[in-house]
Amino acid sequence: MGIPTALDDIHGIAANAWDELAIPSGSSVDRIVSVYREICLKRALGMELDKEFFKKAVAYRFLNSIPLARKEYRADDILPLLHSLDATGDMSDPSRSVRACAMLDVSIGCMERAQSPWQLPYVNYVINVHYCMRKHVVRRRYSEFLALHDSLMQKLPVIPHLPAKSWRYKLVMPSDRARDLVLYLSRIIQLLTYRKLFSTDIMAFLEIDYCTLRSEEEALSADALNRIAPVLDGSIVFLVDSSWMTQWRNFVLDKDGMSPPGPISNADLLDDHGRPKKHMVVPRHYRFLSAAAWKFFRLIYRGGPEITRNTKSIYAPRVFSPEMACLKVQTFVRGFLARSHAHRRRHAMGFRRPIMERSFEAMETLQLTERKQATTKS
């Protein structure tokens, strides 16, 4: 759900911002960010169906001094689900592992007049950047906006119009100039986000180290999930190959510049018949996750197959997760309805002998009957 249009609604949410996030008045910024991260994770992973999420998103932005944006606030914006604009369609390409999150807002802070030796004065546009619950400030000249525009024109078929250059802006600093430039940036970001993409050029322009921030945010999100959704005795656990978890841990700990791991691969835990291999122990060969943690990793990295147990042993009987159980039920119902429809159709056409139905004569007779019926109706 988007931002409410009524100004009174915004004022009402801002007045009760602390209550919306259910935190004590005067809490630190770190506390506000931590609570909002947990709210987004619960909503994105289906742990809670929060119908008032947009109010909490507005409250978070108000308490964190972030201007409201004219866009829809989504809980899964904190997850690195956007692919690079430069990535290829090949899933095995390493560029497919480069991801960024969609929580990116820009706003104008102010304008500064500057001048280099032996040059005319110019204007620096101070831009406030909010990315993945982190804030910083960048300063950019119009020439840098123009260079970004030229670079994006070579990669995007459609791009918003860049405000034209004018000499009068070197002498005066009208506010509409800065507003138009920030609006230009916001439109491109929203255009790419709608297509589940992000631009490395824009990230460099805004000085966002998205790779480092991704590893930090994944570590913080995993730690939050361990608190709010721990593995309980008797609950369904999901097994993951230890080698993949080691790669992910090295990535979030930034050991030797490790890149993000590829898709989750549990194939080494199973034999050709889908049964667990012999002599496997935890944590040497596999580790276990809660349902929320598994869904978190599955949304980001994909892969599989899904291995579920009701105990922490891979040799325990297999159980179905709620999502897998729903999928099985849907498959069964669709198959039953398709078979029932085919049976009624054969019965209406007069074919009741299975051997005859599989013969070429039956197919020809069926086609002839259908043509006669079509001719009669016309």
Side-chain angles (χ1 to χ4, degrees):
M1 188 173 182
I3 300 177
T5 55
L7 192 59
D8 293 339
D9 294 339
I10 298 292
H11 290 166
I13 296 172
N16 301 299
W18 299 107
D19 295 334
E20 292 290 348
L21 297 181
I23 55 178
S25 177
S27 298
S28 64
V29 175
D30 292 339
R31 175 61 177 166
I32 296 172
V33 170
S34 177
V35 169
Y36 186 66
R37 178 183 293 109
E38 293 182 3
I39 292 173
C40 291
L41 287 174
K42 291 178 181 179
R43 171 79 173 186
L45 301 179
M47 301 170 62
E48 291 183 0
L49 299 178
D50 190 356
K51 298 181 180 180
E52 303 296 333
F53 174 75
F54 83 96
K55 292 185 178 181
K56 297 179 180 179
V58 172
Y60 159 75
R61 281 163 171 76
F62 173 77
L63 295 178
N64 213 13
S65 302
I66 302 170
L68 299 180
R70 289 289 181 181
K71 66 177 185 179
E72 181 182 5
Y73 296 141
R74 299 168 56 92
D76 57 1
D77 284 348
I78 68 169
L79 302 178
L81 302 179
L82 304 184
H83 291 281
S84 172
L85 182 63
D86 302 324
T88 63
D90 186 5
M91 298 302 296
S92 61
D93 191 344
S95 62
R96 297 289 296 181
S97 64
V98 179
R99 304 282 191 85
C101 75
M103 185 181 289
L104 175 57
D105 302 296
V106 292
S107 61
I108 190 66
C110 62
M111 293 176 288
E112 299 175 344
R113 191 186 303 277
Q115 186 173 6
S116 300
W118 307 103
Q119 292 184 359
L120 293 174
Y122 61 88
V123 176
N124 269 331
Y125 299 94
V126 182
I127 304 173
N128 298 320
V129 182
H130 171 247
Y131 176 76
C132 202
M133 294 179 287
R134 294 161 176 83
K135 298 192 301 181
H136 67 276
V137 174
V138 296
R139 289 171 171 81
R140 290 290 177 260
R141 298 177 57 178
Y142 180 84
S143 58
E144 294 172 299
F145 276 93
L146 184 60
L148 174 66
H149 182 76
D150 294 339
S151 177
L152 292 176
M153 284 187 64
Q154 301 176 7
K155 301 178 181 180
L156 293 175
V158 179
I159 189 171
H161 175 69
L162 179 69
K165 186 176 182 179
S166 176
W167 285 99
R168 71 185 184 90
Y169 291 117
K170 293 182 178 294
L171 303 177
V172 295
M173 298 187 296
S175 59
D176 59 342
R177 172 73 162 186
R179 181 197 61 207
D180 293 342
L181 289 174
V182 170
L183 183 60
Y184 162 80
L185 269 181
S186 300
R187 287 176 175 173
I188 296 179
I189 293 171
Q190 292 183 23
L191 174 66
L192 293 174
T193 303
Y194 180 78
R195 298 170 56 189
K196 301 297 182 182
L197 297 172
F198 77 97
S199 170
T200 55
D201 296 326
I202 293 181
M203 292 297 186
F205 180 82
L206 298 176
E207 297 181 1
I208 298 175
D209 188 0
Y210 54 92
C211 292
T212 301
L213 294 182
R214 173 186 173 181
S215 62
E216 293 178 359
E217 190 59 32
E218 285 191 24
L220 292 172
S221 298
D223 183 63
L225 288 175
N226 288 334
R227 294 194 309 270
I228 62 181
V231 178
L232 303 176
D233 294 336
S235 62
I236 297 178
V237 295
F238 293 75
L239 307 185
V240 181
D241 195 320
S242 291
S243 60
W244 187 89
M245 287 299 301
T246 301
Q247 295 178 19
W248 177 81
R249 185 176 291 105
N250 292 337
F251 164 63
V252 297
L253 295 178
D254 196 21
K255 289 187 176 181
D256 301 327
M258 286 290 294
S259 59
I264 300 173
S265 177
N266 289 334
D268 293 339
L269 302 178
L270 306 174
D271 58 18
D272 296 336
H273 301 285
R275 293 188 294 264
K277 294 181 178 179
K278 297 181 179 180
H279 311 300
M280 288 193 300
V281 294
V282 58
R284 181 179 179 182
H285 298 98
Y286 64 91
R287 298 178 183 272
F288 48 86
L289 303 172
S290 64
W294 168 258
K295 190 172 183 179
F296 171 77
F297 287 115
R298 191 74 178 273
L299 281 173
I300 299 174
Y301 293 100
R302 306 295 179 181
E306 180 181 291
I307 304 176
T308 54
R309 299 291 187 268
N310 55 4
T311 64
K312 298 177 182 179
S313 173
I314 194 173
Y315 300 105
R318 181 184 179 185
V319 294
F320 289 112
S321 63
E323 293 81 3
M324 184 60 68
C326 291
L327 183 61
K328 293 288 185 181
V329 171
Q330 290 177 1
T331 303
F332 173 78
V333 172
R334 289 174 180 173
F336 174 77
L337 294 177
R339 289 191 297 270
S340 300
H341 176 72
H343 176 73
R344 289 194 300 268
R345 185 168 178 267
R346 289 195 300 267
H347 183 76
M349 296 299 178
F351 301 118
R352 301 181 182 180
R353 290 180 296 172
I355 298 178
M356 181 180 178
E357 293 174 11
R358 291 192 295 266
S359 63
F360 289 102
E361 293 81 6
M363 293 299 299
E364 293 176 356
T365 307
L366 177 61
Q367 294 175 0
L368 179 61
T369 305
E370 290 179 344
R371 286 196 294 268
K372 288 182 178 179
Q373 289 182 351
T375 305
T376 304
K377 291 180 180 179
S378 60

